[in-house]
Amino acid sequence: MSSQHTGKKNDLFVKKNEKNLDRLTPREIVAELDKYIVGQKKAKRAVAVALRNRIRRLKLESDMREDIAPKNILMIGPTGVGKTEIARRLAKLAGSPFIKVEATKYTEVGYVGRDVESMIRDLMAAGIQMVKQEMQESVTVEAEKRAEEALLDLLLPGTGKKRKEPKTQPRPVVRPVGTFSINPDTNGGTGPSLMGAAIQVGIPSIFRNTDDAGTGQEEVEDQEAKDAVPEDPGSEEGASGKDASTREKFRTMLREGKLEDKIVEITVTQNPQFPAFEMMGGGLEDLESSLSGIAGFFGGGKKKKLLTVSRAREILKAEESEKLIDRDRVSDEARQRVEETGIVFIDEIDKIAVKGERGGGGPDVSREGVQRDILPIVEGATVNTKWGPVNTDHILFVAAGAFNVSKPSDLIPELQGRFPLRVELDSLGKEDFLRILTEPKNALTKQYTDLLATEQVDIDFTPDAVERLAALAAEVNSRLENIGARRLHTIMEALLEELSFEAPDIAPTKITITEAYVNEKLTDLVMDHDLGRYIL
């Protein structure tokens, strides 16, 4: 029964997202990755096919869909060649929950450190944030309206409240408890009916006559007539109209931005903050949730603040957006998205590989244990989170490592089998560096040009200068440690350090970065091996 229910929920998820299923073909995925990552065609094709296969799986019938597992990928290549960037851009293209973790921060159960299940909790947190942001965007207009009304209440206390109706005196109410039989009195029916008087007035009147009862009823009617007449209806209507007019004037001023710097006092709700700490086992998230609940129970999160209208509007809008979205719906949607389209990128997986004989002591003491703990997560397990259980059967895992000391075969065989697709990324040379400096949308030369343009310093890189920078980066990588494209960052910083420091003093100006300029700033640094080892 539960599997049928899960299948129906997955069918609804597919139907809701069917517009995005055909949005990206493998060729289009590679073309999008080419905008940001140079080279590495094999890796791009592998991740494009893996992503497309997930889309194909979602189109199948629910029975067949459950049997198709994702083809996890193991990327092998030196640092700085684009492994992490490929996975990050892929998740952004697919609109999938994505988390990047380092295998080195996990330890075997029983050692101090993070347990491997926390990566799924982190992925679920990323999914919650993604879905919540989307839902908040859908209620932006309503949240802005409510925030505006709240601001007007702060600026003009009392004007937004409805006028209370005048209170009336409580009326005597007769509520018969049952069926009464009124018998004639002992005088043959000519005397007063005591029970009848009691029912008419609503109070015991065993010792009263009918005249007293009539007098009481007349007094009540007189009091009701007095209460029905307002004391001064003209003055109340005038005050109400004046308040409404003032409120609308302030509303206009608020929308025109004339009150942005005015100070208002608001009451904000602060989430309880606890010091970050690690503990053994998987109960950390449960403990944090319990502590938060205890703090909320005692109500320590309210605080009054004096803020400008502009800042208060942001806080009030965020609070109203939080009220307008359904938290249960956010959790359900995020959990489905994580289970069907989530991507976990495990970096530095080569650092937990045990080189040579297994089971040695020293720094390798828990590495093989981490591999054994990662294995069931990658294979498919149910992880408890504060938002409910999350199944990892169809989460895509992408692992990466340089493997310059250890080899993929140093991983335990079971874990190797869980990453059936292996892609080797190429080292970067001069031609690759030249393309990295010019082709991507976020190329380094474009970044530095835009940064210095904010100081009214216009810099222009000549083709010869860019080629010389690429050659120097390749030369340093060949002599020192090969850190890939990250070497370009150190080269560019050393080149433009003096200019970045003096930019506010020499602005406005235009400077052309030529090959001679590059040689002047960097050649001596590159040739001095001892100095270059520390700076570059």
Side-chain angles (χ1 to χ4, degrees), residues 4 163 174 208 227 345 397 401 425 449 478 525:
Q4 293 178 355
R163 184 168 59 91
V174 178
R208 288 187 183 181
D227 293 337
F345 182 76
F397 290 87
L425 284 81
T449 300
S478 64
L525 184 59

Side-chain angles (χ1 to χ4, degrees), residues 201-268:
V201 180
I203 58 174
S205 56
I206 302 298
F207 303 106
R208 288 187 183 181
N209 57 25
T210 51
D211 294 337
D212 295 335
T215 304
Q217 182 69 18
E218 290 174 0
E219 290 177 355
V220 170
E221 291 176 355
D222 292 341
Q223 184 63 39
E224 289 178 358
K226 291 180 180 179
D227 293 337
V229 179
E231 295 180 358
D232 190 359
S235 62
E236 289 189 5
E237 291 177 1
S240 177
K242 185 177 180 181
D243 288 345
S245 175
T246 305
R247 189 177 179 87
E248 291 306 315
K249 289 179 181 178
F250 268 74
R251 189 190 304 276
T252 302
M253 295 171 65
L254 197 62
R255 292 177 177 176
E256 292 176 352
K258 296 180 180 179
L259 303 176
E260 294 299 290
D261 296 328
K262 188 174 179 62
I263 302 296
V264 294
E265 184 182 37
I266 68 172
T267 302
V268 297

Side-chain angles (χ1 to χ4, degrees), residues 131-151:
V131 174
K132 183 184 289 187
Q133 185 174 354
E134 292 175 3
M135 289 189 177
Q136 285 179 341
E137 289 175 358
S138 65
V139 297
T140 298
V141 176
E142 180 64 24
E144 289 177 347
K145 290 181 180 178
R146 294 191 178 193
E148 184 181 81
E149 294 298 331
L151 277 176

Side-chain angles (χ1 to χ4, degrees), residues 430-474:
K430 175 186 173 183
E431 295 302 321
D432 297 312
F433 290 148
L434 185 59
R435 295 178 59 194
I436 290 172
L437 286 171
T438 55
E439 290 184 9
K441 293 179 66 174
N442 57 346
L444 277 179
T445 52
K446 298 175 185 176
Q447 293 180 23
Y448 281 96
T449 300
D450 293 342
L451 281 174
L452 290 174
T454 61
E455 302 275 7
Q456 295 184 325
V457 176
D458 185 14
I459 61 173
D460 180 37
F461 290 88
T462 65
D464 292 340
V466 176
E467 187 171 354
R468 180 59 177 159
L469 286 170
L472 289 174

Side-chain angles (χ1 to χ4, degrees), residues 47 73-76 82-91 97-103 105-106 119-120 123 342-349 395-402 419 425 486:
V47 297
I73 302 171
L74 177 62
M75 294 185 183
I76 305 168
K83 300 187 296 293
T84 305
E85 192 66 15
I86 287 175
R88 182 181 290 117
R89 294 292 175 182
L90 183 72
F98 173 79
I99 188 72
K100 175 185 178 293
V101 298
E102 285 78 29
K105 70 180 179 182
Y106 299 106
M119 70 173 70
I120 304 302
L123 181 65
I343 299 176
V344 176
F345 182 76
I346 307 175
D347 202 5
E348 309 293 348
I349 198 169
I395 293 176
L396 177 65
F397 290 87
V398 181
F419 291 90
L425 284 81
R486 293 188 177 93

Side-chain angles (χ1 to χ4, degrees), residues 42-57:
K42 293 180 182 178
K44 291 175 182 175
R45 288 171 66 93
V47 297
V49 171
L51 181 60
R52 189 64 182 181
N53 280 338
R54 305 186 84 191
I55 295 174
R56 291 165 181 158
R57 187 187 73 85

Side-chain angles (χ1 to χ4, degrees), residues 151-172:
L151 277 176
L152 290 173
D153 290 341
L154 293 173
L155 293 168
L156 298 168
T159 59
K161 299 179 181 178
K162 294 182 179 179
R163 184 168 59 91
K164 294 183 179 180
E165 297 295 332
K167 292 184 178 180
T168 58
Q169 295 293 331
R171 302 176 182 178

